[in-house]
Amino acid sequence: MNDIFASLESEVRSYSRTWPTTFDKAGGSWLYGEDGTPYLDFFAGAGALNYGHNNPRLKRKLIEYIERDGVTHGLDQATAAKREFLETIDEKLLKPRGLDYKVQFPGPTGTNSVESALKLVRKITGRESIISFTNAFHGMTLGSLSVTGNSMKRGGAGIPLVHSTPMPYDNYFDGQYPDFLYFERLLEDSGSGLNEPAAVIVETLQGEGGINSSRPEWLRGLRELCDKHGMLLIVDDVQMGCGRTGPFFSFEEAGITPDIVCLSKSIGGYGMPLALTLIKSEHDVWEPGEHNGTFRGNNPAFVTASEALKLYWSDDALQKSTIAKGERVGQVIGEIADKYEGAQAKGRGLARGLGFEDPETAGKISKAAFDRKLILETSGPQSEVIKIMPPLTVSDEELEQGLQIIVDSVQAVLA
Ligand code: PMP
């Protein structure tokens, strides 16, 4: 890699260290180094590239839009591109699922959506505290960081967890205690200081937290608990939404309806920043100007987002193929887990993971895969989980190629 990165770029960088190549081009499931070396990408922008790199059909729409001088920057002005996006999301996503949400554009990235949700639930309920979960990840700004269960991410800055309380995520105690026992006790104990939280924020499958999937019955129990105690339910679908687990929304499988949904990453379709906060209509109590931001309406991203919804969510083909491909990944990682003690197969849909007992093993496997030209991220509290998240548009052939590299890399490190 060129030394300029080491000499000029802040020490905060991490991916450039994990994958020490300068990438220059990308297409579909592939990234290409400057020397033309192809790398199979099973990282997919941490879930931002569900439709692959430079998806040709989305690219065409974007080029057409730019060539006809479509509005690029528009704050929250009404634009034709935004109108089309709102119509498309209503027609392709909300109406078919019987969902009655208002769409807010909270800022360019996932954390902006989480921040707006955290602000809004306090305004709606007049309460202050927020319940989050162990190993949760919700973003890097102060509010979202305060509900993120990873102290390293606080960067030594000592972000206080005032008004935010982490609860055990599904299966935290390996089934030793009934679900929500601790949570319910605290809610019912008037001395706990926790009797009136404004909301619960949850990922149905924790991506950064180590590919921890919650059970549908646990999510239904959480919905019931929220209703019983007047708490709103925020589902953070920033990483697991847009079809990553199969259905468009990761909570669909559980049959629950959150009060607020946070979306970003793949919603723009083309890897461009776009975030949405979906708010149940009855909870849309925002006044104009209460949540501003210069980059709140990314019009080129509206164009690719609308096209992606039309291309991939007019029928259930992508959902079905994601589930089928995910099962194939599940089969291969299941075999790995059976073969190597301490290895654990995790996840659902095309959000899969291989957990190991220590971060060194996961790091070595990720490196062995990179040497074999496959890009795999690690996640989990200690980075001890290999994350397997190819674009949903990955071909069967590419999937098999990547899986073989995973098998070979595990073998090289653990044999
Ligand atoms: N929520 C979840 C579940 C995420 O995975 C992420 C990003 N990894 C975020 C929020 C924050 O999104 P962004 O990095 O776009 O701010």
Side-chain angles (χ1 to χ4, degrees):
M1 219 183 24
N2 195 315
D3 284 346
I4 191 93
F5 295 108
S7 64
L8 277 183
E9 205 183 350
S10 152
E11 292 299 319
V12 77
R13 68 193 190 279
S14 60
Y15 289 135
S16 63
R17 293 174 200 266
T18 317
W19 304 311
T21 288
T22 304
F23 299 100
D24 186 37
K25 288 178 79 169
S29 306
W30 299 88
L31 272 165
Y32 299 90
E34 273 182 318
D35 62 358
T37 305
Y39 292 82
L40 194 47
D41 183 6
F42 278 19
F43 164 57
L49 292 162
N50 284 4
Y51 313 112
H53 291 271
N54 287 315
N55 183 304
R57 296 162 81 178
L58 305 181
K59 179 161 90 181
R60 203 174 54 231
K61 282 283 163 186
L62 185 60
I63 290 172
E64 276 167 23
Y65 186 72
I66 288 169
E67 279 193 337
R68 72 169 181 79
D69 287 337
V71 174
T72 52
H73 184 265
L75 285 158
D76 71 351
Q77 285 155 355
T79 63
K82 182 193 272 188
R83 182 179 56 216
E84 185 175 357
F85 174 69
L86 287 170
E87 283 167 0
T88 311
I89 198 169
D90 195 39
E91 191 188 316
K92 301 291 174 202
L93 289 184
L94 303 181
K95 277 207 190 104
R97 290 165 179 77
L99 295 170
D100 173 28
Y101 287 125
K102 292 263 198 137
V103 181
Q104 183 195 349
F105 302 105
T109 78
T111 198
N112 299 121
S113 175
V114 172
E115 294 292 337
S116 72
L118 296 179
K119 269 169 78 174
L120 186 62
V121 292
R122 291 174 187 210
K123 183 169 184 198
I124 297 165
T125 60
R127 301 174 175 189
E128 285 195 324
S129 79
I130 309 284
I131 303 296
S132 57
F133 289 97
T134 48
N135 290 320
F137 185 89
H138 297 292
M140 286 288 102
T141 48
L142 293 188
S144 60
L145 198 53
S146 76
V147 286
T148 287
N150 182 333
S151 56
M152 187 276 272
K153 297 290 180 195
R154 298 185 211 290
I159 313 303
L161 289 169
V162 175
H163 298 314
S164 135
T165 311
M167 288 293 157
Y169 193 65
D170 190 17
N171 215 23
Y172 188 74
F173 294 113
D174 285 332
Q176 277 177 300
Y177 302 102
D179 296 341
F180 310 116
L181 177 67
Y182 175 60
F183 190 177
E184 281 204 274
R185 289 273 164 90
L186 289 189
L187 285 170
E188 279 153 17
D189 175 357
S190 59
S192 71
L194 206 80
N195 26 348
E196 291 205 329
V200 173
I201 182 163
V202 69
E203 300 152 273
T204 75
L205 192 164
Q206 296 179 324
E208 302 308 319
I211 309 290
N212 309 315
S213 189
S214 61
R215 291 161 301 144
E217 57 271 31
W218 185 82
L219 289 169
R220 286 192 287 272
L222 188 60
R223 177 71 270 186
E224 274 171 31
L225 201 61
C226 286
D227 292 341
K228 188 170 156 200
H229 291 272
M231 305 178 290
L232 298 176
L233 180 63
I234 306 167
V235 168
D236 178 347
D237 240 357
V238 165
Q239 186 161 163
M240 294 304 152
C242 304
R244 181 49 63 185
T245 65
F248 186 88
F249 295 107
S250 75
F251 54 81
E252 284 179 63
E253 223 181 307
I256 57 163
T257 307
D259 297 289
I260 296 178
V261 183
C262 302
L263 276 182
S264 186
K265 294 207 190 250
S266 281
I267 188 65
Y270 203 70
M272 287 190 298
L274 183 65
L276 312 181
T277 312
L278 303 181
I279 306 163
K280 264 194 186 167
S281 289
E282 76 231 48
H283 295 317
D284 183 24
V285 299
W286 286 123
E287 296 289 337
E290 280 187 337
H291 194 87
N292 276 350
T294 306
F295 288 102
R296 270 198 311 136
N298 185 335
N299 282 273
F302 289 147
V303 172
T304 49
S306 301
E307 190 61 12
L309 292 178
K310 287 179 200 164
L311 280 177
Y312 294 106
W313 298 99
S314 290
D315 58 30
D316 61 3
L318 187 66
Q319 172 169 340
K320 282 189 172 148
S321 75
T322 299
I323 290 169
K325 286 171 190 166
E327 279 167 7
R328 173 68 187 139
V329 180
Q331 185 188 6
V332 172
I333 60 176
E335 285 163 14
I336 293 175
D338 288 344
K339 188 164 168 192
Y340 300 98
E341 213 189 308
Q344 196 193 352
K346 309 182 84 177
R348 63 181 201 270
L350 269 176
R352 300 278 174 164
L354 258 177
F356 295 94
E357 276 164 350
D358 59 278
E360 288 73 32
T361 306
K364 280 186 195 159
I365 292 168
S366 166
K367 183 172 180 325
F370 185 75
D371 292 344
R372 291 164 175 77
K373 312 290 180 271
L374 172 69
I375 298 182
L376 288 177
E377 197 191 19
T378 54
S379 74
Q382 313 292 330
S383 300
E384 75 283 23
V385 179
I386 297 279
K387 220 170 157 194
I388 306 166
M389 291 193 21
L392 307 184
T393 50
V394 67
S395 71
D396 289 339
E397 205 186 354
E398 290 163 343
L399 190 66
E400 291 306 321
Q401 197 176 334
L403 288 173
Q404 189 57 52
I405 296 179
I406 293 172
V407 170
D408 294 346
S409 304
V410 173
Q411 161 96 14
V413 172
L414 293 182

